[in-house]
């Protein structure tokens, strides 16, 4: 930095302010400093800066399944917002293992990162101290900590709209395959499904409801059981797009057609939903926007801004494609 100051004809303190983005440095001076930086190939020692400022300028994103395409889209949005705010992103995959989640959580205790995004709806034990919760934001699902805001959509309303779509097409025998029972999204999506049936005066049919995890395998297995009923459903509302894809595979293997024999609606609108056969009608849960808004909220919290008490609710939308149609007479 002393060399940069000498070449630009300014003080070392001015170089430091310019590289930190201080508005106190004039445009002409900043240009001279930036030219000197380019000429010398100078690179900021971020580790030294972190020690001096007692900030890592790094944030950690804890993910339950990094191979999940929906989670991957959330990460893209989070990384985009982090870069804009001047942070680097570290990612930890828990694979649903609480011990791994606790190990990742210690990154915040050691000061290796300034804050964390939590995906998966679980609060690791090491992060339960109120002072630490000020540096956390949950994404997609809330965690059991009143001091941690969540960025999510209205899952119940989205499920209600998806089921209303099937009812509006004329379906009355509508099945539901839900995801992992340990998540908050699963009961909310079932509640929206049940509300739509009640609104339409359709009696609940418990034999048409199945659960598993958010996976293609769950959709395939549970759909096979539903097709064995004396009177199978004419339409399915699935708790995720992956479940819906598994259900469609089983329907086709049974030599039935989608949507001519059974209509199928998913939830999430992952990338592959538009290229399934047929393209999947689904609720668009904007993963990238969720990640972006969550990271922006975390950056604001780390800068000392007050977080909304209930977090942020991002709009969803129903995307109608070729997997739904009126029932056969």
């Amino acid at each position: 930095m002393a060399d940069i100051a000498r070449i630009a004809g300014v003080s070392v303190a001015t170089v430091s302010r310019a590289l930190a983005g201080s508005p106190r440095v004039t445009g002409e001076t900043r240009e001279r400093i930036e030219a000197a930086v380019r000429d010398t190939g100078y690179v900021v020692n971020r580790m030294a800066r972190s020690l001096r400022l007692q900030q890592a300028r790094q944030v950690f994103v804890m993910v339950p399944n990094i191979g999940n395409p929906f989670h991957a889209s959330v990460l893209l949005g989070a990384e985009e917002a982090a870069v804009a705010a001047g942070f680097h992103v570290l990612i930890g995959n828990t694979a649903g293992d609480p011990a791994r989640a606790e190990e990742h959580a210690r990154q915040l205790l050691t000061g290796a990162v300034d804050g964390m995004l939590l995906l998966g709806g679980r609060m690791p034990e090491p992060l339960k101290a109120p002072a630490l919760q000020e540096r956390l934001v949950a994404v997609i699902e809330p965690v059991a900590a009143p001091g941690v805001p969540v960025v999510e959509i209205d899952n119940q309303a989205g499920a209600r709209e998806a089921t209303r779509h099937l009812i509006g097409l004329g379906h009355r025998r509508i099945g539901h395959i839900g995801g992992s029972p340990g998540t908050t999204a699963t009961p909310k999506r079932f509640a929206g499904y049940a509300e739509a049936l009640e609104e339409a005066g359709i009696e609940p049919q418990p034999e048409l409801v199945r659960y598993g995890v958010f996976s293609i395998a769950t959709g395939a297995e549970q759909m096979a059981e539903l097709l064995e009923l004396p009177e199978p459903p004419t339409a399915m509302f699935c708790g995720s797009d992956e479940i819906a894809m598994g259900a469609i595979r089983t329907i086709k293997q049974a030599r039935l057609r989608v949507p001519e024999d059974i209509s199928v609606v998913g939830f999430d609108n992952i990338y592959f939903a538009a290229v399934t056969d047929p393209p999947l009608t689904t609720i668009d849960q904007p993963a990238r926007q969720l990640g972006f808004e969550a990271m922006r909220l975390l950056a604001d919290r780390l800068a000392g801004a007050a977080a909304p008490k209930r977090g942020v609710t991002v709009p969803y939308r129903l995307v109608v494609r070729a997997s739904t149609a009126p029932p056969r007479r």
Side-chain angles (χ1 to χ4, degrees), residues 84-322:
F87 287 95
H88 293 284
V89 178
L90 302 179
I91 299 169
N93 183 45
T94 68
D97 183 354
R100 287 178 66 174
E102 291 192 8
E103 185 65 29
H104 290 319
R106 293 189 180 93
Q107 297 274 353
L108 190 61
L109 300 177
T110 63
V113 297
D114 298 320
M116 282 190 169
L117 293 188
L118 304 177
L119 280 73
R122 298 192 179 185
M123 183 70 171
E125 190 67 33
L127 301 180
K128 291 185 176 179
L132 293 177
Q133 292 178 22
E134 296 176 357
R135 295 191 275 161
L136 304 174
V137 171
V139 196
I140 306 171
E141 294 188 70
V143 296
V148 180
V150 60
V151 178
E152 61 181 343
I153 69 163
D154 189 333
N155 283 279
Q156 189 164 329
R160 186 168 59 241
E161 184 166 349
T163 309
R164 282 174 177 169
H165 169 68
L166 294 171
I167 293 170
L169 291 172
H171 293 278
R172 292 296 179 269
R173 192 165 175 80
I174 302 170
H176 174 58
I177 303 175
S180 309
T183 69
T184 59
T186 294
K188 288 179 180 178
R189 291 174 190 177
F190 171 77
Y193 157 80
E195 281 181 4
L197 296 181
E198 184 179 1
E199 287 175 355
I202 300 173
E203 286 293 325
Q205 298 162 305
E207 74 275 13
L208 298 184
V209 178
R210 297 285 192 279
Y211 289 99
V213 296
F214 292 112
S215 71
I216 291 174
T218 282
E221 294 164 4
Q222 300 304 323
M223 192 70 230
E225 292 186 10
L226 291 169
L227 291 179
E228 292 176 358
L229 293 173
E231 189 180 351
T234 65
M236 292 298 305
F237 165 55
C238 298
S240 75
D241 290 343
E242 290 183 87
I243 292 175
M245 291 172 188
I248 289 174
R249 186 177 72 185
T250 295
I251 292 168
K252 289 184 174 182
Q253 288 173 345
R255 299 183 182 278
L256 297 172
R257 297 170 299 166
V258 177
E260 290 86 353
D261 296 305
I262 301 178
S263 288
V264 179
V265 177
F267 203 109
D268 288 335
N269 197 27
I270 62 175
Y271 171 79
F272 302 106
V275 295
T276 58
D277 182 23
L280 184 64
T281 295
T282 186
I283 293 294
D284 178 35
Q285 182 174 202
R288 194 160 184 164
Q289 185 182 354
L290 286 167
F292 186 92
E293 295 295 339
M295 185 61 75
R296 187 163 66 175
L297 177 57
L298 178 61
D300 288 345
R301 297 198 86 191
L302 294 177
K309 289 186 177 180
R310 296 190 178 183
V312 177
T313 301
V314 174
Y316 67 87
R317 64 190 177 99
L318 174 67
V319 179
V320 178
R321 298 193 179 104

Side-chain angles (χ1 to χ4, degrees), residues 4-134:
I4 299 297
R6 177 176 50 79
I7 294 169
V10 297
S11 68
V12 172
T14 300
V15 174
S16 178
R17 284 193 292 268
L19 295 179
S22 171
R24 295 170 58 189
V25 181
T26 64
E28 181 185 352
T29 301
R30 188 183 304 279
E31 287 176 6
R32 293 207 313 273
I33 292 171
E34 289 175 351
V37 167
R38 287 194 298 271
D39 292 342
T40 59
Y42 174 75
V43 177
V44 176
N45 186 330
R46 295 189 180 277
M47 185 173 291
R49 175 181 284 183
S50 297
L51 290 171
R52 179 170 60 83
L53 300 178
Q54 294 187 326
Q55 291 179 335
R57 299 308 294 176
Q58 294 189 133
V59 289
F60 195 95
V61 184
M62 199 178 299
V63 189
N65 180 6
I66 202 168
N68 182 303
F70 184 78
H71 291 162
S73 294
V74 173
L75 289 173
L76 285 173
E79 198 268 346
E80 183 181 349
V83 170
F87 287 95
H88 293 284
V89 178
L90 302 179
I91 299 169
N93 183 45
T94 68
D97 183 354
R100 287 178 66 174
E102 291 192 8
E103 185 65 29
H104 290 319
R106 293 189 180 93
Q107 297 274 353
L108 190 61
L109 300 177
T110 63
V113 297
D114 298 320
M116 282 190 169
L117 293 188
L118 304 177
L119 280 73
R122 298 192 179 185
M123 183 70 171
E125 190 67 33
L127 301 180
K128 291 185 176 179
L132 293 177
Q133 292 178 22
E134 296 176 357

